[in-house]
Amino acid sequence: MEERKFCQCCAMPLDRPEDAGTEQDGAPSEYYCRYCYQKGTFTAPDATMDDIIAFNLKFNAENGHPFGPQEEAEKMMRSWFPTLKRWKKA
């Protein structure tokens, strides 16, 4: 079974080719979704990890809690996001 890929900025599942962002040459990004990364650059270059978590929590609340209750969703994101490529400390 193939391992599922997620955006290395916002953790969106990258299940379909059209979910991928694009590199500068137009090729699909291996790491980032279309919402976070276009033409080889982040769509919100000044966003912090906290900003992306807040955005995802707002999405969660507005869409029937697909990530679970807010407290649990935030706890999960705060433990997972620091491991994502964009937020990982070198």
Side-chain angles (χ1 to χ4, degrees):
M1 189 165 114
E2 195 173 322
E3 188 174 323
R4 197 168 187 201
K5 292 174 79 175
F6 295 89
C7 176
Q8 294 296 298
C9 175
C10 74
M12 176 178 140
L14 298 175
D15 295 334
R16 303 172 306 164
E18 60 268 25
D19 293 334
T22 55
E23 297 297 344
Q24 193 169 19
D25 64 1
S29 172
E30 182 178 351
Y31 302 108
Y32 302 108
C33 76
R34 61 192 175 123
Y35 301 109
C36 292
Y37 198 72
Q38 295 176 6
K39 298 179 183 173
T41 190
F42 288 108
T43 57
D46 297 327
T48 65
M49 185 176 72
D50 286 338
D51 293 335
I52 301 299
I53 289 172
F55 180 85
N56 281 0
L57 288 171
K58 182 178 180 207
F59 175 91
N60 191 48
E62 292 174 349
N63 290 280
H65 298 95
F67 311 135
Q70 289 295 84
E71 281 185 23
E72 290 177 25
E74 182 172 3
K75 184 177 179 182
M76 179 271 301
M77 289 179 211
R78 292 207 177 276
S79 66
W80 185 19
F81 278 43
T83 70
L84 299 177
K85 185 175 177 69
R86 184 171 182 187
W87 313 117
K88 189 179 262 186
K89 302 289 187 232

